Amino acid sequence: MVNLDCTLHGHFNMDFKKNTTALLISLLIACMATWPLIVDPTTNISRHFDLYGVFWLAEGTQHLTEGMFTHINFPLEAPIGHVDSWLWFILFWVNHDIIPIPILISLLVTISIGLNIWSARWCALAWGVGPVASWCAGLIFGLSGSMLNAILEGSWYLSSQFWLPLIAVSLLRFQQTKQLKWHGLMTISWLGSLLTSAYLGLASSV
């Protein structure tokens, strides 16, 4: 008689410690894919005016007065509700000029791509895909056309798409094990996608 718990443990127990090497490899690939930003973080690889909205958000977050952006070029005294990504807003606010804005934004893009590759590979492995094919899945998702298009059009916050594979992994693991930690990861991932962008929040809800 097959021990279902052991089988599930052997096939699906892909914890973060076992994925450390894969995470480092994913980040290395992301560095290679975004090498212009690594060489010069001030490089505007998008060549699109929408990118300035990201820099405006990063700059405006450093100067808030009663929920209004102040001491910035445009738009003056706009409410903080008018932001494209609450996740990046929080990260900018936590940073608060510790890391220069161009370097921080470049790091967020590179790290996001690395996490995209890593999380998609983990998701593929959890669903029973082989090691080589799982790396292919990670690369296809991490360097997908929609993600690259978001970067080229200046919506760099949409590079943080790693929440979607994490939702798929946690949903599968919760269905198989009924452990609350996977339910918690699924909830956090859904909130993360929603805070990243309404588009990702809608996709994760579907």
Side-chain angles (χ1 to χ4, degrees), residues 1 14 16 19 29 33 38 42 61 65 80 84-85 109 111-112 118 120 122 130 141 146 169 172 180 188 192 194 202:
M1 183 176 181
M14 300 298 297
F16 290 100
N19 274 295
I29 295 174
I38 301 297
T42 62
T61 305
T65 302
I80 62 173
D84 293 317
S85 174
V109 172
I111 292 174
S112 292
W118 171 78
W122 182 24
F141 179 82
S146 62
V169 171
L172 175 65
L180 291 179
I188 292 173
L194 185 62
L202 178 62

Side-chain angles (χ1 to χ4, degrees), residues 33 117 127 179 193:
I117 297 172
W127 283 86
Q179 294 179 351
S193 65

Side-chain angles (χ1 to χ4, degrees), residues 41 56 67 112 126 138 144 151 153 158 176:
W56 160 71
S112 292
S144 66
I151 293 178
E153 290 192 350
L158 286 176
Q176 297 292 345

